[in-house]
Amino acid sequence: SVFTTRADTLFGVTFLVISAQHPNLMDIVTKDKKKEVEKFLNKTKSTKQEDINQLEKEGIFTGNYAVHPITKEEIPIWTGNFVLAEYGSGMVMAVPAHDFRDYQFAKKYNIPIKVVVKPGEKNTNTGNIKEAFTDYGVLVNSSNFDGLSSEEAKEHISVYLKEKGLGEKISYEPLGVICN
């Protein structure tokens, strides 16, 4: 399960991040990446939860992939020092074009950035971006949901995921969706 608070950005997921403290992290790590991940974990062990926001965002690729619930693309799974094991499922989707933290991480580790929400109807530039666009807008690069406003898309995508048995809207987080 992966927790998202912005269903309208689901098509912009280019990586996932599982908490470095997640109890099942090593089950996801491939054999060839175990030593690298263990070294990373030893480096982050002394990190206190209250210091997480001040930390430089660091991570390492686990060697494994998840399958995007709609596009069926393989999405690389990273572990990072900035995801809390207690938040949602302890694994979050990363949408670097639309989240500042994800953008910084993607730039640092050369992870693709895919624009799926553009500001207003007139601006059609979805190429190289210089910073994350975190506001609501109009969907692009989002299959059948292109052209919908973020507000409309949140509802439509949530309904689509539920109908297909791929996720559900959760009540304690008004924008939240859990994808299987």
Side-chain angles (χ1 to χ4, degrees):
S1 294
V2 176
F3 182 73
T4 171
T5 57
R6 292 272 314 259
D8 59 321
T9 64
L10 184 58
F11 285 86
V13 175
T14 58
F15 63 104
L16 301 175
V17 183
I18 184 170
S19 171
Q21 291 83 33
H22 196 286
N24 300 109
L25 169 61
M26 294 312 285
D27 296 339
I28 292 173
V29 178
T30 59
K31 283 183 185 179
D32 62 319
K33 293 288 185 177
K34 285 213 185 277
K35 284 189 175 150
E36 288 177 68
V37 171
E38 286 169 354
K39 184 177 177 181
F40 172 75
L41 294 177
N42 285 333
K43 181 179 168 186
T44 62
K45 244 183 209 174
S46 61
T47 304
K48 295 179 183 162
Q49 295 301 326
E50 57 268 16
D51 298 333
I52 249 172
N53 289 333
Q54 281 72 42
L55 284 178
E56 180 180 346
K57 310 311 179 228
E58 293 185 313
I60 190 160
F61 178 50
T62 65
N64 219 328
Y65 297 84
V67 177
H68 192 287
I70 299 175
T71 68
K72 305 304 180 205
E73 295 172 315
E74 286 191 332
I75 307 292
I77 303 172
W78 287 68
T79 186
N81 65 348
F82 59 94
V83 175
L84 299 172
E86 300 82 29
Y87 181 73
S89 63
M91 180 185 278
V92 296
M93 69 177 212
V95 185
H98 305 293
D99 180 278
F100 293 121
R101 178 185 60 192
D102 298 346
Y103 180 83
Q104 293 169 339
F105 192 85
K107 284 300 214 182
K108 180 175 183 173
Y109 293 104
N110 201 27
I111 300 171
I113 297 172
K114 182 179 176 187
V115 174
V116 294
V117 178
K118 64 182 179 94
E121 295 178 31
K122 294 183 176 150
N123 183 349
T124 58
N125 178 16
T126 60
N128 292 334
I129 61 171
K130 296 192 181 351
E131 64 181 25
F133 174 69
T134 60
D135 288 334
Y136 295 116
V138 176
L139 267 64
V140 294
N141 300 318
S142 298
S143 188
N144 296 337
F145 304 100
D146 284 356
L148 293 176
S149 71
S150 290
E151 289 296 327
E152 294 171 309
K154 286 186 297 188
E155 282 303 313
H156 287 278
I157 292 171
S158 295
V159 167
Y160 177 85
L161 290 169
K162 184 171 180 141
E163 286 175 352
K164 299 290 184 188
L166 299 171
E168 63 184 80
K169 193 170 183 177
I170 51 177
S171 60
Y172 68 86
E173 181 73 42
L175 307 177
V177 173
I178 294 183
C179 298
N180 298 332

